[in-house]
Amino acid sequence: MENFDYFDALKESLEQAVDYTKGDKSRCRTVVRETPIPAYKADDVARTRKELKLSQRGLATALGVSPRTVESWEAGKNAPSGAAQRLLYLFECDHTLVERLVAR
């Protein structure tokens, strides 16, 4: 079994951290962790839409779905898919994202 040199490993890690802060990301790795997204129910969709000051058609355009889909979500007939829930969450966190997707 090889001897593991903790000092050299730590030194190399610190050198990589310095390189990273200087913009060299060639030796780094990114750890991705999932952010829990709330489940959007009928009231949540309607509340989010109103906070964004959008019509059902406007929200549908921003999400890339039909206005009838948004209508059915708000009526409680269907629930937004995982991708739609993530977009709704992002819209709630940053209202400017909607500005990039729809013309008012």
Side-chain angles (χ1 to χ4, degrees):
M1 182 186 319
E2 292 182 36
N3 290 336
F4 186 77
D5 190 342
Y6 290 100
F7 176 79
D8 286 340
L10 182 59
K11 181 181 171 195
E12 182 179 354
S13 294
L14 290 172
E15 288 170 352
Q16 289 174 5
V18 169
D19 290 344
Y20 180 84
T21 60
K22 292 179 180 178
D24 178 10
K25 299 180 179 37
S26 63
R27 297 192 312 161
C28 71
R29 67 181 173 154
T30 303
V31 177
V32 178
R33 65 179 171 85
E34 186 175 346
T35 301
I37 304 296
Y40 282 82
K41 300 196 181 332
D43 293 340
D44 301 320
V45 175
R47 176 188 43 76
T48 300
R49 179 179 60 78
K50 290 173 186 171
E51 285 176 3
L52 295 169
K53 297 181 172 98
L54 291 173
S55 63
Q56 287 180 339
R57 180 176 297 283
L59 182 60
T61 300
L63 293 171
V65 299
S66 74
R68 293 195 102 164
T69 299
V70 173
E71 184 181 325
S72 73
W73 292 343
E74 290 187 6
K77 295 177 184 173
N78 291 318
S81 68
Q85 287 186 30
R86 286 188 174 279
L87 281 172
L88 286 166
Y89 175 75
L90 290 173
F91 291 166
E92 273 194 292
C93 293
D94 184 356
H95 291 196
T96 64
L97 294 174
V98 175
E99 305 286 330
R100 297 179 196 172
L101 297 172
V102 296
R104 296 189 189 239

